[in-house]
Amino acid sequence: MYQLLKNSLYVFLGACCFGILSTVVKLAYRDGFKFEQVMLSQFGTGWLILLILMLLFARRKVTWKQAVRLAGVGLCTCLTGVTYYLSLQSIPASIAVVLLFQFTWIGVIIESIVYRRLPDKATAISIAILFLGTLMAGGILGTGELQLNLKGTLLALAAAVMMALFVFFSGRVETGMPAITRSFYTSTGGLVLLTVLFAPNVFTGNVQMVSGNGLWFYGLILGTFGVVLPVLLFALGAPKIGTGLATILGAGELPVAVIASVMVLNEQVTAVQWIGVSLILLGIAYPQWAAQRSPGIQLAKD
């Protein structure tokens, strides 16, 4: 049980790191930086930090096949950010975050299909609690009529699928490799994809990323909390607890995002949203509580 709690904590903390990003991105946008600049600074800085960590602490020979597999995982986390940030251009943030957090049940479905088994009772109850909590915390319940943009909705749902795939593959791909090495090659995949997507701007408009205009500061924060820490923590914990529980713990991102927006951006959060945050935390804790109440029933591992 101690190992389960420890590895669950790794994944939960990794999800909490993701929760900080939306607030930092809003601050960067407020200072005039563009989407492409923010994304490239995040993955570029994160990649440099992981390169230094790998050279210092985790030198290990990696085959091309292993590198490509890990880079594929990085494509998932990169596409999560790209599709989610693009969805924010056409739908409200409260709706986008609710759609993103559908990765909780999408991840459980992926696990059920791959391993041909239904989720256990504790997982099903947890998903139901998380779904309700997400609707409340995202500001969907208690609002007026919603008008959804089709493009923005599809982009946010695509982000949810990519997030679920990232969690799934984090628990399966090259799990015997040191976490730092895995994380470096994962971030490499994301950085390569961004370079391809934004190639026309990499050496022109984005040259200012390396100058002293302040983007380096945002890049350092985003790279640390959006690339280095979450990828490392998921690499440490996800292989030990299974996709279903990992996706549930991934919901820890939303409460942190709400709290950060209040503390840093002074955004207003209603009582209904705070109740939603509490429900999300309850949904995250429920599988652990159920496992302790029934020692004979262990949460499924991959």
Side-chain angles (χ1 to χ4, degrees), residues 113-169:
I113 293 174
V114 172
Y115 296 105
R116 299 180 181 179
R117 66 180 180 222
L118 294 174
D120 55 51
K121 181 179 178 181
T123 298
I125 293 175
S126 178
I127 291 296
I129 296 173
L130 288 172
F131 184 74
L132 177 59
T134 301
L135 290 177
M136 297 176 71
I140 299 299
L141 295 183
T143 60
E145 183 180 353
L146 295 176
Q147 294 182 349
L148 297 181
N149 175 277
L150 178 60
K151 178 182 177 181
T153 300
L154 292 177
L155 283 169
L157 289 174
V161 174
M162 288 297 106
M163 183 65 179
L165 289 174
F166 166 67
V167 176
F168 178 74
F169 288 122

Side-chain angles (χ1 to χ4, degrees), residues 268-287:
Q268 298 298 316
V269 178
T270 66
V272 173
Q273 288 178 289
W274 283 121
I275 294 173
V277 168
S278 300
L279 282 175
I280 291 173
L281 296 175
L282 175 62
I284 292 171
Y286 181 78

Side-chain angles (χ1 to χ4, degrees), residues 178 183 196 249 302:
S183 301
V196 172
L249 293 165
D302 290 356

Side-chain angles (χ1 to χ4, degrees), residues 96-117:
V97 74
V98 169
L99 293 173
L100 171 64
F101 271 79
Q102 302 315 300
F103 82 83
T104 51
W105 60 263
I106 293 173
V108 173
I109 290 178
I110 291 174
E111 183 183 45
S112 298
I113 293 174
V114 172
Y115 296 105
R116 299 180 181 179
R117 66 180 180 222

Side-chain angles (χ1 to χ4, degrees), residues 34-276:
K34 298 180 180 180
F35 164 74
E36 294 90 345
Q37 293 173 309
V38 173
M39 290 291 295
L40 283 168
S41 68
Q42 174 180 327
F43 277 85
T45 305
W47 182 84
L48 285 173
I49 294 173
L50 285 169
L51 174 63
I52 294 172
L53 291 176
M54 187 183 69
L55 293 176
L56 291 176
F57 304 111
R59 293 187 181 183
R60 176 173 173 173
K61 186 176 181 180
V62 176
T63 66
W64 276 105
K65 183 177 180 180
Q66 290 175 316
V68 170
R69 283 165 58 87
L70 289 168
V73 180
L75 299 184
C76 294
T77 185
C78 174
L79 288 174
T80 299
V82 170
T83 51
Y84 179 64
Y85 292 158
L86 287 176
S87 74
L88 292 172
Q89 297 178 353
S90 54
I91 61 176
S94 60
I95 297 175
V97 74
V98 169
L99 293 173
L100 171 64
F101 271 79
Q102 302 315 300
F103 82 83
T104 51
W105 60 263
I106 293 173
V108 173
I109 290 178
I110 291 174
E111 183 183 45
S112 298
I113 293 174
V114 172
Y115 296 105
R116 299 180 181 179
R117 66 180 180 222
L118 294 174
D120 55 51
K121 181 179 178 181
T123 298
I125 293 175
S126 178
I127 291 296
I129 296 173
L130 288 172
F131 184 74
L132 177 59
T134 301
L135 290 177
M136 297 176 71
I140 299 299
L141 295 183
T143 60
E145 183 180 353
L146 295 176
Q147 294 182 349
L148 297 181
N149 175 277
L150 178 60
K151 178 182 177 181
T153 300
L154 292 177
L155 283 169
L157 289 174
V161 174
M162 288 297 106
M163 183 65 179
L165 289 174
F166 166 67
V167 176
F168 178 74
F169 288 122
S170 291
R172 288 176 55 86
V173 177
E174 304 298 338
T175 56
M177 190 178 295
I180 293 178
T181 304
R182 290 181 66 203
S183 301
F184 169 75
Y185 285 98
T186 297
S187 67
T188 299
L191 181 60
V192 169
L193 177 60
L194 281 182
T195 303
V196 172
L197 291 176
F198 304 142
N201 298 320
V202 170
F203 299 109
T204 56
N206 285 319
V207 170
Q208 60 178 314
M209 285 196 305
V210 296
S211 67
N213 66 350
L215 187 58
W216 67 269
F217 175 72
Y218 291 113
L220 180 62
I221 298 176
L222 292 171
T224 300
F225 290 96
V227 179
V228 179
L229 290 178
V231 174
L232 273 173
L233 290 167
F234 271 88
L236 287 170
K240 308 293 195 312
I241 64 175
T243 304
L245 181 56
T247 52
I248 290 172
L249 293 165
E253 176 183 346
L254 184 53
V256 173
V258 172
I259 294 171
S261 67
V262 171
M263 296 181 64
V264 179
L265 301 176
N266 296 318
E267 293 185 355
Q268 298 298 316
V269 178
T270 66
V272 173
Q273 288 178 289
W274 283 121
I275 294 173

